[in-house]
Amino acid sequence: MATIATTGSASGRRALDGIVDFAGRVVGAADLVVSDVEIGQRVACIGVDQATIDAAVSLVEAGHRVKVFEDDPRLVLPRVGLIPFGRASLCARLAGSTRLGLRAVAFVPAPGAVRRRLGRMPSVMEHRAGSLHRRRHLDDRWDRRQLTPSRFDRRTPLRDDSYYRMVDAGSCELISWPVASVTTSGIRTCDGLEHRADWIVVAP
Amino acid sequence: MTLDLSKTLDRVHERQWALADVDWDAPGADRITDEQRPKLAAFMADVAWIEQVGARAFAALARKAEDPVLADLYRYFHAEEQRHANAELALMRRWDMLDGDEPPEPHISIRLAMDWLDRYADSLPLAVLGSAIPMLEVALDGALLKFLVDEIDDPLCAVVFEKVNNDESRHLAVGFHVLEVIGRNPAHRHAIDIAKVLLSPAIFTSLPAAMPLFTNARDNVVGMGLDERKLYDALARFDKVGQRQPDVRRNPSYLVLKEFGKMVANRSHPYHVLGDAATRIVDHYPRRLLKSPPSWVDQLTAEPVV
Ligand SMILES: [Fe+2]
Ligand SMILES: [Fe+2]
């Protein structure tokens, strides 16, 4: 089984000191060659970003059962093609267009309050798009809640169409506990459990 | 006296422990007497489930705190309460109180509380949840867990609860700190919080959800032999915070909960006429009317390695 551990918070990073003693293999998410992972091996990947989500998705597609450790969820938006399909995509596209539009008229003088109000709009629309995206793919209320980013979160949104669906189907298991430590044999989460792993994939 | 939250967070990081740190097969499991066993099984099941319900409340707080360090602390406390529940379930397994490896069925009052909390916790103001948590923690930490360690001869019980209590001491420190911070909120913030609570549907269902829970938990522990006064003394700690820090008393949720706690602890208070009636009704609540429990309930496990 493959395990993707993603812990975004700065305070959580200290928990990873033990990685130097980890008995399995450690690899950067961007450097992961999926075919190197043998069926039945368990991989742990740490740090949530586009590369780790992509790695998780590729591992699941290759037939590995993946566990995702994500204790500080990021905003994930659908990938939008030329023509947006579905409400989430439409909303994400609108957010993008609004951002561009606002940049184009930035030279127009306006009171500070109006400027701030307008400036927040794209981000509000993105969060709305993320919520629609989760509603569409995640049936379980708790999963949905645990994958909802904090409203104070200002990191750039990630783009993905498969991750939520995989979590929903159970082929990608979401572990939303903070990571307590890395041991020689795996990852300990703060709920007191140890998750055995053969690989750890970290964010580049 | 204010608490340095960053230092507390550092300590939380340092003091993490796992179920795998405990030798669950160490000698002493047979020290549970046959007389203790049935009552202890019911009591431990209650404690484990209440820890998990507490965990859900911390999860809600983690989303409400604007201070990122406090939000981090709450995220860790959420996990730590789950760890306590897991460890207590592992103790039950050690004492041969489980049917297979399955967690015991939660008492109907706890089931209702779970549903209530899952539905409303995320919409309750921080002032309400942040006041309720320390009250429950002083009762659990100061009375129930201490009592367990005194009563149970199994040395591993003391080992586990020492770890649990160590965590709880930080939960309480942060809980009391937050009480002070909430207390210093301007009056209009308190007014908004009260309005939010009074206008929320949560308020109508809060008493039917809470009364049987507390009555059942209280009667279970007193049935096991806990002196009622100890429960009262433990709750007095919650009272004392307000006496030491006048700011704390400006928080209406604190004042209401403080009085509520006193009523629950005191069996001769007229409140219990109502409490008992609610408990009797809930006892007959048909389980088939319950919707399926929220999926976080399935996180309870006695297995140290997965
Ligand atoms: Fe606890
Ligand atoms: Fe606690």
Side-chain angles (χ1 to χ4, degrees):
Chain A
M1 182 173 53
T3 307
I4 303 286
T6 51
T7 179
S9 66
S11 57
R13 292 197 190 280
R14 254 167 296 173
L16 308 179
D17 290 347
I19 207 163
V20 288
D21 299 321
F22 179 62
R25 289 182 61 178
V26 180
V27 63
D31 303 326
L32 174 75
V33 179
V34 174
S35 56
D36 285 354
V37 182
E38 289 165 34
I39 291 294
Q41 274 192 324
R42 299 157 295 188
V43 187
C45 150
I46 296 169
V48 60
D49 63 356
Q50 191 66 52
T52 46
I53 278 207
D54 292 346
V57 169
S58 320
L59 281 162
V60 172
E61 278 167 353
H64 301 286
R65 256 198 66 218
V66 177
K67 264 184 187 177
V68 172
F69 291 66
E70 186 177 9
D71 68 325
D72 190 12
R74 300 263 306 247
L75 182 60
V76 178
L77 299 178
R79 289 180 202 275
V80 187
L82 210 53
I83 304 161
F85 287 107
R87 290 192 296 162
S89 301
L90 205 62
C91 211
R93 169 60 60 80
L94 267 174
S97 314
T98 311
R99 184 167 284 132
L100 284 178
L102 285 174
R103 231 174 266 159
V105 297
F107 62 91
V108 179
V114 174
R115 207 171 267 283
R116 273 195 299 279
R117 246 278 157 58
L118 286 174
R120 269 204 300 269
M121 254 174 61
S123 150
V124 169
M125 285 157 90
E126 272 171 353
H127 275 261
R128 178 83 194 120
S131 152
L132 289 167
H133 194 39
R134 288 190 296 277
R135 271 180 183 283
R136 176 155 176 217
H137 295 299
L138 293 163
D139 264 343
D140 185 62
R141 238 159 45 99
W142 180 245
D143 278 348
R144 223 156 45 215
R145 180 195 186 276
Q146 290 307 85
L147 284 167
T148 303
S150 147
R151 61 201 162 99
F152 309 110
D153 186 68
R154 291 287 169 269
R155 292 168 291 180
T156 33
L158 310 178
R159 298 276 175 174
D160 185 85
D161 290 335
S162 318
Y163 172 49
Y164 286 160
R165 234 179 312 125
M166 288 167 173
V167 170
D168 191 60
S171 51
C172 189
E173 196 184 336
L174 172 72
I175 311 284
S176 50
W177 303 115
V179 172
S181 62
V182 179
T183 65
T184 51
S185 51
I187 291 179
R188 284 187 178 183
T189 41
C190 294
D191 61 335
L193 304 191
E194 177 159 327
H195 301 261
R196 287 278 153 86
D198 302 304
W199 288 67
I200 290 180
V201 179
V202 289
Chain B
M1 182 198 71
T2 45
L3 186 71
D4 184 341
L5 290 181
S6 311
K7 274 202 187 127
T8 310
L9 185 58
D10 285 342
R11 217 159 309 134
V12 167
H13 283 140
E14 285 160 21
R15 301 279 167 87
Q16 290 297 316
W17 56 277
L19 262 59
D21 294 338
V22 179
D23 177 9
W24 298 101
D25 298 320
D30 49 356
R31 302 255 187 102
I32 306 294
T33 62
D34 286 340
E35 191 205 352
Q36 280 175 328
R37 190 175 299 273
K39 278 182 182 166
L40 182 62
F43 177 70
M44 285 295 286
D46 278 0
V47 172
W49 284 118
I50 288 174
E51 299 261 20
Q52 226 202 355
V53 168
R56 179 65 184 85
F58 274 121
L61 281 169
R63 289 292 163 88
K64 302 204 167 290
E66 283 181 41
D67 175 357
V69 179
L70 184 60
D72 252 359
L73 277 167
Y74 281 143
R75 271 183 327 111
Y76 277 86
F77 292 172
H78 171 207
E80 290 184 344
E81 294 297 358
Q82 182 68 54
R83 177 166 70 209
H84 301 166
N86 291 344
E88 281 144 14
L89 195 69
L91 273 178
M92 286 183 80
R93 182 162 78 173
R94 167 180 165 87
W95 296 333
D96 209 7
M97 289 169 176
L98 298 185
D99 188 8
D101 275 350
E102 286 300 295
E105 189 71 19
H107 187 267
I108 182 82
S109 61
I110 296 180
R111 259 305 261 115
L112 289 173
M114 276 174 186
D115 285 348
W116 184 86
L117 204 70
D118 191 56
R119 188 158 184 172
Y120 297 114
D122 286 326
S123 59
L124 286 174
L126 186 124
V128 176
L129 277 178
S131 310
I133 289 264
M135 186 181 82
L136 298 177
E137 302 236 71
V138 287
L140 198 72
D141 176 60
L144 306 198
L145 300 190
K146 239 179 228 131
F147 166 74
L148 255 183
V149 174
D150 290 346
E151 283 299 292
I152 307 300
D153 258 348
D154 181 0
L156 197 78
C157 181
V159 171
V160 172
F161 282 114
E162 201 196 307
K163 289 176 186 291
V164 169
N165 271 330
N166 208 308
D167 294 342
E168 295 296 358
S169 66
R170 285 185 294 274
H171 297 189
L172 266 180
V174 172
F176 287 164
H177 168 83
V178 171
L179 275 177
E180 279 183 51
V181 175
I182 297 170
R184 285 196 289 268
N185 279 348
H188 73 271
R189 276 283 292 274
H190 288 308
I192 292 173
D193 282 342
I194 298 176
K196 264 193 197 156
V197 173
L198 291 180
L199 292 174
S200 141
I203 187 83
F204 300 112
T205 44
S206 64
L207 279 182
M211 286 200 306
L213 177 72
F214 293 140
T215 305
N216 170 57
R218 186 204 156 283
D219 288 355
N220 259 358
V221 64
V222 173
M224 270 194 63
L226 171 78
D227 188 349
E228 204 170 291
R229 263 174 312 181
K230 286 202 175 144
L231 198 60
Y232 214 78
D233 289 346
L235 281 168
R237 263 182 90 189
F238 189 63
D239 207 347
K240 266 192 208 119
V241 201
Q243 285 166 11
R244 269 202 315 265
Q245 294 286 339
D247 278 348
V248 172
R249 289 201 302 273
R250 295 182 59 239
N251 171 8
S253 310
Y254 167 81
L255 294 176
V256 170
L257 285 165
K258 187 176 63 128
E259 292 312 314
F260 182 69
K262 278 191 199 158
M263 287 192 317
V264 174
N266 177 6
R267 200 63 173 105
S268 47
H269 192 280
Y271 155 84
H272 284 281
V273 178
L274 210 64
D276 288 341
T279 310
R280 267 197 303 277
I281 294 170
V282 161
D283 271 339
H284 293 106
Y285 191 92
R287 281 196 176 242
R288 64 193 158 75
L289 287 189
L290 292 169
K291 48 181 191 148
S292 59
S295 64
W296 48 264
V297 168
D298 303 331
Q299 289 172 321
L300 183 62
T301 174
E303 208 53 66
V305 178
V306 289

